[in-house]
């Protein structure tokens, strides 16, 4: 099958690798423009671009797709179908209808739940115990197109969004391969819009910890808001990022945000609803990520101080 592939992050790169391994003809690979990253503002290629270059594929990185010129350029590849996996941009109708097979999307949720940009993150934050991957035919709505195939997977206890995404990337590559293999016989199923939930794009503000939430809810946010925006608070005027945490039971809990223990391996903070959270891995602004013991020994935070 002749395919134009559109994707950007590592999860999408896994699907591209599978298409190549399965012997499909990749007419072109669309990915987001290169952007500077890190303290040195070094230009970094997307994971999809890395795979494309390694396999000698034609790479396209348009800054705009909602133009007549961009649509004409896209159609000129004369592919059978477009495959879209976390491309990072809303596609106009001209792109969706450019090829006979339309545009097949790999979405990392059990649609119609968690339509939107960050389904994996919000599934963890909201306490879901399972998620999955759905392939669908794209339309002009936000993840509203008719579904092709769908497969579930459990969300592990304590699993972060980074860890979960690694498993979903593999599942997504497999279900995409099956979708394309069976595309002529699979009957698309319309989504039930009444069951839809949404997973909006994450902002930096989402990661700011509200200590009045319960410890269970805060632990989910620590796991779900990785790698961006992370769950963070402030201590001594400096930003403190929480990387690993777990709810614990205590008989007496002071005001939310109060540092209850800060010695040895114990860094415990009071939360809302008379709960407490034990922070196992954290990172203060300008320093490396460390365990609680190293943090306590290095920073020597004062018990009784209030975070935030």
């Amino acid at each position: 099958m002749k395919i134009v592939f559109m994707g950007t992050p590592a999860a999408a790169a896994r699907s591209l690798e599978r298409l190549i391994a399965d012997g499909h003809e990749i007419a072109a690979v669309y990915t987001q423009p290169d952007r500077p990253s890190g303290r040195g503002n070094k230009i970094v290629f997307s994971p999809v671009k890395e795979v494309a270059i390694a396999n000698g594929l034609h790479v396209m990185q348009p800054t705009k797709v909602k133009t007549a010129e961009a649509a004409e350029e896209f159609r000129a590849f004369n592919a059978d179908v477009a495959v879209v996996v976390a491309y990072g941009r809303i596609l106009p109708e001209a792109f969706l209808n450019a090829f006979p097979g339309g545009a097949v999307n790999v979405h990392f949720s059990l649609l119609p739940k968690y339509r939107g940009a960050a389904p994996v993150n919000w599934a963890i934050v909201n306490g879901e115990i399972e998620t999955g991957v759905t392939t669908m035919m794209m339309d002009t709505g936000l993840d509203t197109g008719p579904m092709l195939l769908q497969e579930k997977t459990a969300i592990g206890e304590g699993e972060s969004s980074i860890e979960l995404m690694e498993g979903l990337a593999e599942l997504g590559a497999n279900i995409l391969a099956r979708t394309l293999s069976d595309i002529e016989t699979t009957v698309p199923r319309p989504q039930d819009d009444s069951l839809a939930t949404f997973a909006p794009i994450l902002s930096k503000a989402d990661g700011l910890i509200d200590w009045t939430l319960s410890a269970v809810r805060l632990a989910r946010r620590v796991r779900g808001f990785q790698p961006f925006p992370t769950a963070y608070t402030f201590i001594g005027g400096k930003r403190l990022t929480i990387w690993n945490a777990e709810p614990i039971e205590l008989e007496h809990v002071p005001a939310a945000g109060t540092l209850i223990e800060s010695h040895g391996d114990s860094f415990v903070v009071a939360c809302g609803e008379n709960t407490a959270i034990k922070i196992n891995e954290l990172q203060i602004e300008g320093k490396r990520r460390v365990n609680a013991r190293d943090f306590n020994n290095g920073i020597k935070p004062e018990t009784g101080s209030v975070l935030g």
Side-chain angles (χ1 to χ4, degrees), residues 119-156:
V120 177
N121 307 88
W122 288 112
I124 290 177
V125 170
N126 291 339
E128 302 287 353
I129 61 173
E130 69 175 11
T131 185
V133 176
T134 306
T135 52
M136 68 174 179
M137 298 304 304
M138 297 179 71
D139 61 16
T140 56
L142 179 64
D143 300 321
T144 55
M147 300 181 294
L148 297 168
L149 297 180
Q150 189 171 80
E151 189 167 331
K152 298 179 181 180
T153 188
I155 298 176

Side-chain angles (χ1 to χ4, degrees), residues 290-303:
V290 296
N291 59 35
R293 177 176 289 273
D294 290 344
F295 183 83
N296 287 332
N297 291 339
I299 302 300
K300 296 179 173 58
E302 184 178 349
T303 300

Side-chain angles (χ1 to χ4, degrees), residues 58-181:
H58 182 63
V59 177
M60 300 288 293
Q61 296 179 275
T63 56
K64 296 180 180 179
V65 294
K66 295 181 178 180
T67 67
E69 294 79 7
E72 183 63 28
E73 189 173 46
F74 189 74
R75 282 192 295 268
F77 288 110
N78 293 317
D80 298 311
V81 66
V83 171
V84 184
V85 188
Y87 177 49
R89 186 167 292 174
I90 296 174
L91 297 175
E93 191 171 5
F95 273 63
L96 303 182
N97 299 327
F99 308 133
V104 173
N105 177 238
V106 177
H107 186 75
F108 297 105
S109 83
L110 298 174
L111 290 171
K113 295 186 71 174
Y114 296 105
R115 295 172 175 173
V120 177
N121 307 88
W122 288 112
I124 290 177
V125 170
N126 291 339
E128 302 287 353
I129 61 173
E130 69 175 11
T131 185
V133 176
T134 306
T135 52
M136 68 174 179
M137 298 304 304
M138 297 179 71
D139 61 16
T140 56
L142 179 64
D143 300 321
T144 55
M147 300 181 294
L148 297 168
L149 297 180
Q150 189 171 80
E151 189 167 331
K152 298 179 181 180
T153 188
I155 298 176
E157 185 176 352
E159 193 170 28
S160 72
S161 53
I162 295 173
E163 295 164 334
L164 179 57
M165 191 69 251
E166 289 176 356
L168 289 174
E170 187 67 30
L171 182 62
N174 292 338
I175 196 173
L176 173 61
R178 286 165 36 212
T179 297
L180 295 179
S181 176

Side-chain angles (χ1 to χ4, degrees), residues 11 34 147 211 255 261:
D34 303 330
M147 300 181 294
W211 291 107
E261 296 179 13

Side-chain angles (χ1 to χ4, degrees), residues 188-251:
R189 296 174 292 124
Q191 296 186 42
D192 184 346
D193 292 341
S194 69
L195 300 177
T197 62
F198 297 94
I201 191 168
L202 293 167
S203 69
K204 185 177 179 180
D206 288 318
L208 180 61
I209 293 174
D210 176 1
W211 291 107
T212 64
L213 296 176
S214 72
V216 168
R217 293 180 66 187
L218 286 179
R220 290 174 186 158
R221 286 172 173 261
V222 170
R223 292 162 47 213
F225 288 154
Q226 297 184 27
F228 177 85
T230 69
Y232 63 92
T233 186
F234 292 89
I235 184 170
K238 292 187 176 182
R239 176 171 165 145
L240 181 67
T241 301
I242 312 302
W243 289 103
N244 183 286
E246 58 185 308
I248 62 170
E249 293 185 6
L250 293 178
E251 288 188 9

